[in-house]
């Protein structure tokens, strides 16, 4: 279970104008909510928040959020960013309650060298990179291992094939493909001996339309 610490400052004023002033002052507006807690508006130092997000997996890291003289164990539930500048506009924290399961996204870690790669020249294609799971906050794994050692060429692993840590319930479809060992494209496209390759029909030109202008910023 990964954890990190972050400081915040309570705030009483809310609204678009207030949020804009908070950002201009080097902070990000945020909010903390949770079971039995009234939502509390916060302000978080922008540099500290960006530094933390560059070091952890925000979706599955427990944040020890300190504010108003106390500390709450939280998960980051939403990060709003400017669509072009990518600066953080707002962040939501959910306070965790002991014994109350939560839903999180956990990265997959592929281990081993697939047999189809090692002995048949295949290529391992990673289709999924994370799993959606339900688990007690105290048992959130940093990652879930996917052992690909025995996967032969032309075969794949599915969600239902993964060995999960105790107490973890996966929410993704059991038949969803996690990875596949594919035949190299150059080999797959080579025509059989004595068979004349049939030229492909000319592709039609792609029509590109200019997107309509949209609002560039949303705030709370």
């Amino acid at each position: 279970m990964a954890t990190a610490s972050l400081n915040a400052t309570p705030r009483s004023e809310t609204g678009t104008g207030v949020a804009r002033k908070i950002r201009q002052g080097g902070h990000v507006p945020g909010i903390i909510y949770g079971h039995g807690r009234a939502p509390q508006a916060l302000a978080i130092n922008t540099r500290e928040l960006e530094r933390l997000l560059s070091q952890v997996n925000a979706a599955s890291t427990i944040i020890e959020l300190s504010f108003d003289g106390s500390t709450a164990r939280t998960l980051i539930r939403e990060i709003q960013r400017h669509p072009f500048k990518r600066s953080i506009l707002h962040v939501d924290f959910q306070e965790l309650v002991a014994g109350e399961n939560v839903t999180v996204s956990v990265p997959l870690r592929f281990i081993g060298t697939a047999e189809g790669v090692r002995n048949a020249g295949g290529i391992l294609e990673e289709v999924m990179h994370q799993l959606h799971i339900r688990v007690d906050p105290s048992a959130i794994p940093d990652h879930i291992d996917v052992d690909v050692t025995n996967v032969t060429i032309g075969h794949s692993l599915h969600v239902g094939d993964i060995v999960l840590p105790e107490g973890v319930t996966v929410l993704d479809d059991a038949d969803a493909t996690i990875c596949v060992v594919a035949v190299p494209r150059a080999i797959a496209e080579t025509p059989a001996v004595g068979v004349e390759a049939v030229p492909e029909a000319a592709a039609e030109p792609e029509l590109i339309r200019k997107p309509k202008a949209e609002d560039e910023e949303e705030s709370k």
Side-chain angles (χ1 to χ4, degrees), residues 54 60 82 108 116 156:
S54 69
S60 60
H82 190 283
L108 296 174
S156 57

Side-chain angles (χ1 to χ4, degrees), residues 109-115 117-118 124 126 145-151 181:
R109 185 177 69 174
F110 294 88
I111 59 175
T113 301
E115 181 180 335
V117 174
R118 186 173 60 252
L124 179 67
E126 301 173 4
D145 287 336
V146 180
D147 187 353
V148 301
T149 305
N150 296 321
V151 184
V181 177

Side-chain angles (χ1 to χ4, degrees), residues 26-174:
H27 290 75
V28 174
I31 190 171
I32 180 174
Y33 60 87
H35 181 75
R37 167 189 285 278
Q40 170 66 59
L42 303 170
I44 304 97
N45 182 276
T46 301
R47 289 185 178 180
E48 289 184 11
L49 179 59
E50 290 179 340
R51 185 182 306 116
L52 181 145
L53 294 177
S54 69
Q55 298 172 347
V56 304
N57 176 20
S60 60
T61 299
I62 292 181
I63 308 298
E64 301 282 353
L65 190 64
S66 299
F67 63 98
D68 203 21
S70 62
T71 301
R73 300 174 75 245
T74 70
L75 280 173
I76 294 177
R77 282 312 195 186
E78 183 178 3
I79 300 173
Q80 295 181 16
R81 292 183 180 272
H82 190 283
F84 304 116
K85 299 178 182 179
R86 304 306 297 162
S87 55
I88 303 174
L89 300 178
H90 194 275
V91 59
D92 291 2
F93 297 89
Q94 178 188 356
E95 183 175 16
L96 303 176
V97 178
E100 188 174 285
N101 288 355
V102 293
T103 300
V104 295
S105 298
V106 177
L108 296 174
R109 185 177 69 174
F110 294 88
I111 59 175
T113 301
E115 181 180 335
V117 174
R118 186 173 60 252
N119 298 324
I123 299 174
L124 179 67
E125 296 183 355
E126 301 173 4
V127 180
M128 295 178 62
H129 296 91
Q130 63 181 12
L131 282 183
H132 299 91
I133 65 172
R134 189 164 182 80
V135 64
D136 185 277
S138 63
I140 297 175
D142 296 336
H143 57 265
I144 293 177
D145 287 336
V146 180
D147 187 353
V148 301
T149 305
N150 296 321
V151 184
T152 56
I153 195 162
H155 290 79
S156 57
L157 285 179
H158 303 87
V159 170
D161 300 323
I162 303 305
V163 178
L164 298 171
E166 184 177 356
V168 172
T169 300
V170 66
L171 303 179
D172 295 289
D173 187 342

Side-chain angles (χ1 to χ4, degrees), residues 166-220:
E166 184 177 356
V168 172
T169 300
V170 66
L171 303 179
D172 295 289
D173 187 342
D175 294 328
T177 300
I178 288 181
C179 64
V180 60
V181 177
V183 178
R185 181 172 299 177
I187 296 177
E189 294 179 351
T190 302
V193 176
V195 178
E196 182 179 355
V198 179
E200 296 183 358
E204 295 184 1
E206 180 182 359
L207 178 61
I208 300 177
R209 295 184 175 89
K210 183 177 180 181
K212 296 180 180 179
E214 296 180 353
D215 292 337
E216 295 185 356
E217 176 177 347
E218 59 177 304
S219 60
K220 292 187 178 180

